[in-house]
Structures are given as C-alpha cells and as structure tokens.
Amino acid sequence: MAVRLPASPSVAEKLMLAMVASSDAPLLLLDGDLRVIAASNSFGRAFQVDAAGASGRSVFELGAGEWDVPKLHSLLSATASGQAAIEAYEIDLKGAGRETRRLVIKAQKLEYGDAEVTRVLMTVSDVTDARIAERLKEDMLHEKAVLLQEVQHRVANSLQIIASVLLQSARNVKSDETRTHLNDAHNRVMSIATLQRQLASSRLGDVELHPYFTQLCQSLGASMIRDHNQQSIEVSGDNSRVSADVSVSLGLIVTELVINALKHAFPEDRPGKIMVDYQSHGPNWTLCVSDDGIGMHSAPAAATPGLGTSIVEALARQLHASVRVADRKPGTAVSIVHVQIAAVDSADGQVPERAV
Ligand SMILES: Nc1ncnc2c1ncn2[C@@H]1O[C@H](COP(=O)(O)OP(=O)(O)OP(=O)(O)O)[C@@H](O)[C@H]1O
Ligand SMILES: [Mg+2]
C-alpha cells in the first residue's frame, strides 16, 4: 500500500487507507491537488506502477507519464472542485513498450463531513479485453447474418430454377392432366421461393404476412390467370408477423386454396374475384380465402377431395387450427381458424380444450 499519512493518523484514517489498499478494483485516493494519498495494490499490479512510490505524487506523474492526458486533467480538476463527477470516461493508456489499454475512469469527490479537506476517489477498469470480445462477437454476428442471407439467396435461386424446369416441362407435355399437375407443382415450389425472398429481406428472421401473401398471389395470378380483366386476387389483413416455420405453412395453405379457386371456381373463364385475408387477435387468428365463383357443391369433382385438401388439412393440424368451409352463395370461403382458449376448470371438473 502507498500512503501519505497525516502526522498522526486516526484509527478511522488507517481503516480507510487499509480499505483502499485491499480493494480488488484498481483505485486511487487523491487529495484536492490531485496527488495520490493511497493506491490500491491492484492498481499497482494492473498498470505496472510502484504503488508504494505513488504516494505524494501527482496522478499525472504516475508510471512513465502515460496518465498525463489533458482530458483527464480537466475532468479530475472539475471533480475535485465539485463542479462535476466523472461518471464513466474512456481513455487510451499508451504505456511505453506495452500495448495500448482502453480504460474506463470513474471519479467522485467524497462527501464525508469535512468540507475543508478534499478527497477524490478514482476507480479504473481495464475494458480492453471486453471491448475486443465485443468486437469479435459483433464481427461473428455480422458474418453469420451475411452467411444466412447468402444461403437464403442460393436456396431462393435454386427453387426458382426448379420452378422454371417444372414450367418448361408443363409446356412441353402433351397430356392436359400431366400439364395441370406440373403447373400445380410449379406453383407450390414458387410459394416456397417467394417465402425465401421474404425471409432474405427480413432482418428479424420473421415474416410480415401482408407483403408475403401479396407477392405470393401476384406470382400465382401471373402463372394461372389468362385474362386479368376477368379474374383478380385481392389480399387484405393486419400487419401480423409470424415465424418462418408458421409462414411456410400459411403460405402453402394460401397457395392450395388460391389454386383451387382459380382452377375450380371460375369455369369457362367466368369473371370473379378471390380474396385472401388474415386477421389476428392476440394468439387467435383466422386465414380466409374466399371467392365469388360457382361454389364448391356445384363443381364437377366436388365429391372427390384431392391432394390439395389433404395438404391444407395436414398444415392446419400442424398449426393447431381447424378448417371451415362455407358455401357463400355465390362462391366458397375456406377459413383456417386458430382459437386459443384459456384453461379454466369447468363446473364438471373437466378442463376444456386449449386450442381448436
Ligand atoms: N374454390 C372452389 N370453388 C369450387 N370448387 C372447389 C373450390 N375448391 C375446391 N373445390 C372442389 O373441391 C375439390 C377438391 O379440391 P382439392 O384441392 O382437394 O383437389 P383438386 O384441386 O381437385 O386437386 P389437387 O388439389 O390435388 O390438385 C375440387 O376438385 C373441386 O371440385
Ligand atoms: Mg386443389
């Protein structure tokens, strides 16, 4: 411990000096002229300063003069005169033959019932390693984000290529049925490719549904609607965001239901409109795809649910939602409804279902 003791230090003063000396945090106790009264041993070790020899010297003369920083002068003087306290001031300490250290300095004038004698406590934290670690972490996070975008970009490109191959094959085949299947497969792949593009542009890793559904329906309309004056697709809804997982399922459901409406609701190119709507209230949400076409019961193959129906049902189950089909007269509305019910014990002691 380095101390400049008064002629006959009191027990209280000795205790105070012993506390400074034993502090694990590097600190200095200064007088009103910014001379060292005591330096903790940890300060001496951390900054290669002779703690014993520090006593009585100006703080700016410590070491090889590396503490003689103009900003530290003005800040410590302002603290000693009571004008300001250094909350947290960062300086670079350039020691001869040592790498530069980034320090956080805190200084405060001690209030201890003697207005005549000024005492300033200066604590020093070496944050060099913490700053390096922070920078490393930031660099790694940035690298991860770039890699993720790169992967998403590549996946989107690959899906685009697969979709193009399917479309090309659909154009070349002779059988109408095979062409329809290939076109549907193309649209299903496009639905995922659209989602990939949305994910690539989202920094949060989640997906805003309205723009996603809008893009999805534009791509479905572009490949399936022959006359845009006859049929159109409209998207409405709130500004819900969902996780990538949920958006995959919702996107595929929209794809199936819009394809169904375009394929079955408007035979002989009759005019009509398809509406896609998503609304959420807390944990509850409803996705509805409706049309003003001929209605499901009038469709020729009404009795035979195809692959589309099983895809929609499986995805709805995955989302803990139920599928409700309504005859709109005119048209059909298919709603995917997720209702979360709070578990409250009913009178007969049975716990009701949580999600329908
Ligand atoms: N919006 C709609 N308007 C009129 N009929 C519909 C509508 N949606 C579905 N249908 C009828 O329901 C049937 C079953 O639909 P589903 O999606 O399961 O099979 P699909 O569309 O025929 O074949 P897939 O989906 O496997 O390509 C359809 O064949 C059609 O007759
Ligand atoms: Mg279908």
Side-chain angles (χ1 to χ4, degrees):
M1 180 179 69
V3 291
R4 199 176 61 149
L5 292 170
S8 53
S10 66
V11 174
E13 280 167 336
K14 284 181 188 167
L15 174 65
M16 181 267 294
L17 294 171
M19 283 169 70
V20 170
S22 61
S23 163
D24 277 346
L27 53 85
L28 297 175
L29 181 67
L30 307 174
D31 67 10
D33 298 327
L34 306 179
R35 290 185 178 281
V36 177
I37 296 171
S40 70
N41 293 329
S42 53
F43 182 90
R45 276 194 307 275
F47 303 110
Q48 297 174 6
V49 165
D50 172 17
S55 177
R57 292 175 68 194
S58 162
V59 61
F60 308 113
E61 292 166 7
L62 294 178
E66 63 267 25
W67 295 87
D68 193 5
V69 181
K71 195 81 192 269
L72 194 60
H73 268 276
S74 50
L75 288 166
L76 283 176
S77 305
T79 306
S81 63
Q83 291 165 11
I86 307 180
E87 285 296 332
Y89 173 58
E90 294 199 12
I91 62 165
D92 285 325
L93 189 77
K94 299 184 180 81
R98 290 174 61 205
E99 61 174 300
T100 301
R101 309 298 294 176
R102 170 51 64 104
L103 307 181
V104 173
I105 310 275
K106 288 183 187 175
Q108 74 180 108
K109 188 178 175 183
L110 299 178
E111 300 294 340
Y112 63 104
D114 184 349
E116 299 300 309
V117 183
T118 301
R119 292 288 179 265
V120 173
L121 191 66
M122 170 175 147
T123 47
V124 186
S125 325
D126 188 337
V127 293
T128 316
D129 296 338
R131 291 284 188 274
I132 291 172
E134 259 169 45
R135 225 183 4 257
L136 251 173
K137 195 174 129 200
E138 270 167 29
D139 287 353
M140 279 166 72
L141 281 175
H142 178 70
E143 201 178 318
K144 191 178 147 219
V146 170
L147 269 175
L148 189 67
Q149 274 209 323
E150 173 73 13
V151 168
Q152 276 166 341
H153 186 70
R154 283 185 189 198
V155 171
N157 272 354
S158 311
L159 287 169
Q160 193 75 49
I161 293 168
I162 295 169
S164 307
V165 169
L166 285 168
L167 198 62
Q168 203 62 39
S169 314
R171 285 192 186 124
N172 294 338
V173 292
K174 298 266 177 322
S175 145
D176 279 350
E177 197 189 340
T178 312
R179 186 176 311 115
T180 309
H181 286 318
L182 285 169
N183 271 328
D184 287 356
H186 159 82
N187 285 321
R188 285 166 183 147
V189 172
M190 281 304 288
S191 143
I192 305 289
T194 309
L195 172 71
Q196 280 305 129
R197 266 201 304 279
Q198 289 285 330
L199 271 178
S201 63
S202 148
R203 264 184 286 143
L204 298 171
D206 57 8
V207 175
E208 206 182 330
L209 287 180
H210 194 272
Y212 169 42
F213 288 163
T214 306
Q215 229 181 323
L216 192 55
C217 291
Q218 263 166 10
S219 131
L220 288 168
S223 78
M224 290 188 73
I225 299 177
R226 260 191 303 270
D227 183 351
H228 291 269
N229 292 322
Q230 291 292 89
Q231 288 115 24
S232 60
I233 313 174
E234 234 173 58
V235 176
S236 60
D238 54 25
N239 52 1
S240 295
R241 304 184 77 98
V242 297
S243 68
D245 282 2
V246 172
S247 67
V248 173
S249 304
L250 291 175
L252 284 170
I253 291 175
V254 168
T255 305
E256 288 309 317
L257 296 177
V258 169
I259 291 178
N260 269 1
L262 288 170
K263 271 202 320 196
H264 309 296
F266 311 111
E268 284 135 28
D269 234 354
R270 61 151 67 200
K273 197 152 75 171
I274 299 165
M275 267 95 47
V276 176
D277 181 59
Y278 181 93
Q279 303 289 343
S280 65
H281 302 280
N284 303 334
W285 52 263
T286 302
L287 167 67
C288 179
V289 177
S290 56
D291 63 69
D292 55 0
I294 57 167
M296 226 177 218
H297 299 295
S298 327
T304 49
L307 177 64
T309 301
S310 19
I311 290 178
V312 171
E313 277 171 1
L315 292 168
R317 216 173 306 126
Q318 214 176 62
L319 295 169
H320 304 291
S322 56
V323 183
R324 297 177 191 169
V325 183
D327 202 347
R328 274 273 174 95
K329 297 189 175 109
T332 309
V334 182
S335 303
I336 314 298
V337 186
H338 173 87
V339 183
Q340 187 102 26
I341 300 171
V344 182
D345 284 345
S346 56
D348 59 4
Q350 290 203 321
V351 178
E353 256 182 301
R354 275 182 159 268
V356 188

